[in-house]
Amino acid sequence: MNEWKQRWIDEVEQRQDELLGLCSKLIQFPTENPPGDSRDISQFIIDYLAEVGIETKVYDAGDNMLNLIATIGDESASERHLIYCGHTDVVPAGDRSRWDFDPFSGEVRDGYVLGRGASDMKCGLAGLIFSVKLLKELQIPLKGRLSLLIVPDEETGGHLGVPWVFDRKLIHGTAAVIAEPSHPLHPTIGQKGSCWFNFTVTGTPGHGSLSPILGDNAIMKAAAAVQALQQLHQYPVELPEEVKDIIEVTKRYIAEKENADFSAIIDRVSVNVGLIEGGTKTNVVPDRCTVSVDTRLPFGVEPAQVLAEAKQLLSAIGIETELHPEGFQGLANWTPPTDPIVEELVQHICDVKQEEGYGVLQWASSDARHFRRAGIPVLQYGPAELSTIHGFNEKAPVQDVVDAAKVYTLTALSYLGGE
């Protein structure tokens, strides 16, 4: 390992108490989304960066959602502009009686940072903020710009976060890293596409005591629709040649590193019926039922194809209804492993962890698609206990939190020529 790398690894190691304290403080802000109020946590971040003279620009997207952009470096020295992105919102903690600790304590105990958002993604966000502040404090002459893009809205679709910022052309970079949770050795360099939709089935109301002889039960018809739509998982997929290798790499990764048997999902359409709403009263035959469906799309499949297939599957069982797209709509997307930002970050993972690292695809969707749509190569890397994300007792391993901050610091230095 280069001597300069070891010096920076040691520097972050020596300052880990500050880093972990920052993680704890961010978790202590209850930024559940909904409602998504980011005012208090945003002010804390602004003040934290101001301690070393970093100015933060604030862009109010409404509904108490503030987007923050803070930049350091020398734009006259290079056209390179690296964006470090993270979100401040978290999913609701849910039933707090089912947690073994206060979800907003931010406690560090037994080698873990505890609390809602520890893995998704306040420990990763803390690492980005800490790294930028460290480089500014030590007055490192970066050749190009390093920006923090901190958004308030990701967990409910992100409409007031990254896409809001890009739609207004508030920032543009040559590369980006998002601190979303990942395996400690394997950043995610691509995501599946998505097609969410809903539809309403109608029936005829009647007295519950006369069903099923009289009345036409919309919920029962919707149940048949739900079963029919499971066939979307069998939709034929023709993978583009250029992604076949990374698909196989990802399948092996899932089988070996995740110790899971869902590797087949990476090149298949996934189908989740996430919400069903119908009926007016227990003793009334329901005349309406609305179903919301989340499908994630592999490379080679477009939302329009899935909607057409879903329409045909419903029609085959006698249900004629309109399908209404909602939420995430988009194609599978990736950043090739040969892109400079991917190569450099992966190399730093190998150096910090002293193990082999490589990029893989993600079976979900994320804000990364907005960066790629804007022409910005991007990947995701963040500390996490993956099994606890969005669940009770969320936590993140301390060692991975510290190591991720080392990787962020080294990546900024190498990409922007500050070593």
Side-chain angles (χ1 to χ4, degrees):
M1 190 189 307
N2 291 342
E3 184 182 347
W4 74 268
K5 285 190 179 183
Q6 189 61 59
R7 289 205 306 270
W8 281 103
I9 288 172
D10 294 343
E11 185 72 27
V12 174
E13 188 76 27
Q14 292 165 10
R15 294 173 179 244
Q16 66 173 282
D17 287 347
E18 178 187 347
L19 170 61
L20 296 175
L22 178 58
C23 293
S24 296
K25 189 61 181 178
L26 294 181
I27 291 170
Q28 289 164 10
F29 290 97
T31 53
E32 295 168 296
N33 190 10
D37 188 338
S38 72
R39 290 174 295 178
D40 290 344
I41 193 171
S42 295
Q43 189 59 57
F44 170 79
I45 293 170
I46 292 167
D47 293 342
Y48 180 82
L49 293 172
E51 291 175 2
V52 292
I54 300 175
E55 180 183 351
T56 303
K57 294 181 179 179
V58 181
Y59 299 94
D60 189 343
D63 296 331
N64 298 323
M65 297 218 180
L66 307 180
N67 291 281
L68 310 180
I69 298 177
T71 302
I72 64 172
D74 181 5
E75 64 179 318
S76 66
S78 171
E79 293 182 354
R80 284 196 167 189
H81 184 182
L82 178 59
I83 300 173
Y84 276 171
C85 181
H87 61 84
T88 54
D89 61 324
V90 299
V91 297
D95 183 355
R96 299 196 183 191
S97 69
R98 299 183 63 182
W99 287 71
D100 293 336
F101 46 81
D102 178 357
F104 297 106
S105 68
E107 182 183 358
V108 179
R109 185 207 312 167
D110 299 329
Y112 287 93
V113 182
L114 309 179
R116 172 56 84 223
S119 283
D120 189 12
M121 55 172 283
K122 286 184 173 177
C123 286
L125 175 62
L128 298 179
I129 296 170
F130 170 86
S131 296
V132 172
K133 183 184 180 186
L134 178 62
L135 294 173
K136 176 68 174 180
E137 179 184 343
L138 298 181
Q139 299 181 340
I140 304 305
L142 300 176
K143 299 172 184 175
R145 287 170 291 166
L146 173 62
S147 289
L148 281 169
L149 170 58
I150 302 173
V151 300
D153 184 29
E154 192 272 344
E155 295 292 0
T156 62
H159 303 299
L160 297 179
V162 171
W164 189 93
V165 169
F166 283 161
D167 286 347
R168 287 156 181 78
K169 297 179 170 50
L170 300 177
I171 192 171
H172 192 279
T174 57
V177 176
I178 305 176
E180 287 284 9
S182 70
H183 188 281
L185 293 173
H186 305 293
T188 50
I189 62 174
Q191 283 75 30
K192 291 180 75 173
S194 55
C195 177
W196 292 16
F197 62 92
N198 68 69
F199 61 93
T200 299
V201 179
T202 59
T204 304
H207 199 288
S209 65
L210 298 175
S211 180
I213 296 175
L214 292 181
D216 183 20
N217 192 312
I219 291 178
M220 295 303 294
K221 291 165 71 175
V226 166
Q227 287 300 315
L229 290 176
Q230 298 308 302
Q231 296 177 59
L232 288 172
H233 184 56
Q234 307 303 326
Y235 187 83
V237 176
E238 214 171 298
L239 289 172
E241 195 65 35
E242 63 267 22
V243 300
K244 287 184 178 179
D245 287 346
I246 190 65
I247 291 288
E248 290 308 309
V249 167
T250 301
K251 285 185 173 183
R252 289 197 300 272
Y253 154 75
I254 294 172
E256 296 172 6
K257 299 297 180 69
E258 297 287 341
N259 296 316
D261 58 0
F262 58 84
S263 60
I265 202 67
I266 204 70
D267 58 1
R268 302 283 288 277
V269 175
S270 65
V271 187
N272 178 59
V273 177
L275 186 65
I276 298 177
E277 295 179 300
T280 56
K281 200 163 181 277
T282 305
N283 62 346
V284 178
V285 176
D287 66 335
R288 292 178 67 83
C289 184
T290 298
V291 179
S292 294
V293 183
D294 165 9
T295 68
R296 305 299 170 105
L297 315 182
F299 288 90
V301 179
E302 300 181 5
Q305 294 174 296
V306 169
L307 291 173
E309 180 70 6
K311 184 87 170 176
Q312 185 173 332
L313 290 170
L314 295 178
S315 181
I317 60 171
I319 296 178
E320 302 293 342
T321 184
E322 291 297 316
L323 304 184
H324 303 284
E326 63 177 6
F328 293 163
Q329 301 288 318
L331 301 174
N333 53 91
W334 75 316
T335 302
T338 53
D339 190 274
I341 189 62
V342 177
E343 287 188 330
E344 292 186 29
L345 187 139
V346 168
Q347 182 58 57
H348 297 318
I349 291 173
C350 297
D351 291 335
V352 169
K353 289 293 192 181
Q354 292 295 289
E355 295 184 62
E356 180 190 10
Y358 54 84
V360 296
L361 300 180
Q362 187 180 23
W363 45 89
S365 306
S366 76
D367 273 345
R369 69 191 187 279
H370 302 301
F371 283 85
R372 296 189 182 107
R373 191 178 299 130
I376 303 172
V378 63
L379 72 164
Q380 297 180 168
Y381 183 68
E385 185 79 2
L386 294 173
S387 63
T388 68
I389 295 172
H390 290 196
F392 299 122
N393 297 331
E394 184 177 353
K395 59 185 179 180
V398 165
Q399 190 60 58
D400 289 345
V401 172
V402 176
D403 287 348
K406 296 172 184 176
V407 170
Y408 300 148
T409 304
L410 293 174
T411 301
L413 287 165
S414 64
Y415 186 80
L416 297 174
E419 69 268 30

